[in-house]
Amino acid sequence: MKKTLIAILLPLLFLTFCAPREQSNKPKILVSPKGLVLSFWTSVREGAMQAGKDFDVDIVWKGPSLEINIAEQISIVEDNINKRVDAIVLAACDATALVPVVERADAAGIPVVTIDSDLNSDVRKSFIATDNVAASEKAADVLFELIGGKGEVAILPIIPGSSTTIMREKGFDQGLAKHPEMKLVAKQYSHAEVDRAMAITEDIVTAHQNLAGIFAANESATIGSAQALKSRGLAGKIKIVGFDAAPNEVQVLEEGVVDALIVQDPYKMGYMGVKTALDLINGKEVEKRIDTGVYVVTRENLHSPEIQKLINPVK
C-alpha cells in the first residue's frame, strides 16, 4: 500500500515543483541600443522603461557593450527572435550588417522599429530619430559663427558604416558647402571612444597650428576633444561644437571648453520606440518616420526651462 501511495504522489510532487512558472501575458519588447557605455543610451533606456510602465509592457533591455560590437548585437537580436519577443526596437550598430537579422525577425512576424540609427532597408516599420543631416548642418552653421566666419576646422565622426555617422558627415558637408571660408582640414573617426578622440584631437592640433574649430559628432568625441584642448592649454581658443548633452558634456560647456552642443531627445526616442512597437503589435498604423527634434544648447540658454526639461526629462 505504501509503495502504491508513493508511486501516485511522486509524479504529483514533480509536477508541483518542476512545472514551468506561468508566463507573463504582457507584450514583450526587446530594446537593443548600439552600446551601453554612453549617457545617451542611459536616457534612451529611461524613456523605454517609462513607456513599459505606462503601457504595461515587459521591456528586455540588451545591447552590445560597445558600439563597434556589431556581431554581438546581431547575436542579441537572433536570440530574442528565437525567444519569440513580440517586437524589437533597435538602434543599429551598422546600417547594412543588421539587415539580414531584421529581415529574419520580419519573416517571423516580429515587427522592428529603429531608433537613432537606421538600416539600409525598408524592412523596419518605423524610424524614430533626430534628423541627423539637418542637425549636423546646423552644427556647421554654429561653428561658422563661433570662429568668426572663416578658418580651418576638423570633424570627429563616430564609426564608419553607421547610418548616424553617415548622416552627420553628410549634414556637416552641406554646411561646409554654404560656408566656403570655412576649410575642412581633418576628419578622423573616434569609434565612440573618449581616449581615441583625445589622441586624435592632439594629433590634429599638432598638424594644423591654425585650427579654429572642431565638430565633435557624439558624446565621446566631445569629451575627448575637450580633454585634449584643456591639456594643451587651448580651451576657448579652438571652438568646439559637440553633440548630445550628457552630464560631462554639460560640465565642459559650463567651463567654457565646449562652446555649443547639438542636442537630441534620447528619452523621447526610447519612449516613442516602445509606444510605436506596441502599436504595431496591436495592428495599428504607424508613421514611417518620426522626427524627435534637435536643439542648440549654449551657456546662454542652458538653464532655460525648455533646455533643462530636455536634458533632465521627467521620469
Side-chain angles (χ1 to χ4, degrees), residues 227-239:
Q227 289 176 352
L229 294 193
K230 284 176 72 174
S231 69
R232 291 290 189 95
L234 296 171
K237 297 176 183 177
I238 297 175
K239 305 299 182 182

Side-chain angles (χ1 to χ4, degrees), residues 158-172:
I158 316 165
I159 298 171
S162 162
S163 68
T164 299
T165 298
I166 293 166
M167 294 298 101
R168 289 183 191 173
E169 288 183 70
K170 180 180 178 181
F172 195 69

Side-chain angles (χ1 to χ4, degrees), residues 1-302:
M1 181 68 182
K2 287 183 179 179
K3 288 183 179 180
T4 304
L5 185 60
I6 291 170
I8 294 170
L9 290 175
L10 276 176
L12 293 174
L13 288 169
F14 179 84
L15 288 171
T16 301
F17 290 104
C18 299
R21 294 178 181 179
E22 185 179 347
Q23 298 297 310
S24 170
N25 290 322
K26 297 179 183 180
K28 182 172 287 187
I29 298 174
L30 167 67
V31 182
S32 183
K34 287 164 63 176
L36 301 174
V37 176
L38 301 183
S39 296
F40 179 89
W41 301 117
T42 302
S43 293
V44 171
R45 182 183 184 278
E46 289 171 349
M49 291 302 181
Q50 185 60 52
K53 291 178 183 177
D54 289 350
F55 303 115
D56 201 25
V57 173
D58 281 337
I59 303 298
V60 179
W61 173 262
K62 193 167 186 180
S65 52
L66 298 173
E67 296 186 23
I68 57 174
N69 294 351
I70 300 167
E72 185 182 354
Q73 189 176 48
I74 292 171
S75 177
I76 289 167
V77 175
E78 286 178 335
D79 182 51
N80 280 273
I81 292 171
N82 293 335
K83 289 178 178 176
R84 298 296 305 172
V85 293
D86 296 288
I88 295 171
V89 177
L90 174 72
C93 285
D94 187 278
T96 301
L98 271 293
V99 171
V101 74
V102 171
E103 289 177 342
R104 183 183 163 200
D106 187 67
I110 300 171
V112 176
V113 173
T114 52
I115 59 171
D116 181 66
S117 296
D118 202 11
L119 298 165
N120 292 332
S121 170
D122 288 333
V123 68
R124 50 84 176 138
K125 305 303 182 185
S126 182
F127 174 44
I128 303 168
T130 304
D131 183 337
N132 280 294
V133 175
S136 295
E137 184 173 340
K138 173 63 72 175
D141 294 339
V142 172
L143 191 58
F144 178 75
E145 295 294 330
L146 286 169
I147 66 172
K150 63 179 179 179
E152 296 181 353
V153 298
I155 177 175
L156 275 62
I158 316 165
I159 298 171
S162 162
S163 68
T164 299
T165 298
I166 293 166
M167 294 298 101
R168 289 183 191 173
E169 288 183 70
K170 180 180 178 181
F172 195 69
D173 286 344
Q174 289 180 185
L176 287 169
K178 294 191 300 184
H179 308 299
E181 302 90 348
M182 190 164 64
K183 181 183 178 184
L184 182 66
V185 296
K187 177 171 75 173
Q188 294 194 47
Y189 297 90
S190 71
H191 289 267
E193 297 174 8
V194 171
D195 289 346
R196 185 180 294 214
M198 184 176 180
I200 286 169
T201 304
E202 289 174 344
D203 290 343
I204 290 172
V205 298
T206 298
H208 301 281
Q209 298 292 318
N210 295 320
L211 191 73
I214 296 171
F215 171 42
N218 78 329
E219 176 186 334
S220 51
T222 302
I223 297 306
S225 59
Q227 289 176 352
L229 294 193
K230 284 176 72 174
S231 69
R232 291 290 189 95
L234 296 171
K237 297 176 183 177
I238 297 175
K239 305 299 182 182
I240 297 177
V241 175
F243 215 104
D244 295 325
N248 49 0
E249 290 180 284
V250 171
Q251 180 180 337
V252 289
L253 176 70
E254 290 183 308
E255 290 174 356
V257 186
V258 169
D259 300 275
L261 296 170
I262 307 300
V263 179
Q264 310 178 79
D265 195 338
Y267 182 91
K268 187 176 182 180
M269 287 183 203
Y271 193 95
M272 290 301 298
V274 170
K275 182 180 184 300
T276 302
L278 182 60
D279 285 344
L280 288 163
I281 292 169
N282 292 329
K284 297 180 181 179
E285 292 289 326
V286 301
E287 295 180 52
K288 292 289 286 184
R289 178 69 171 93
I290 299 173
D291 186 349
T292 52
V294 66
Y295 307 81
V296 178
V297 177
T298 64
R299 283 181 290 281
E300 288 69 33
N301 69 0
L302 175 61

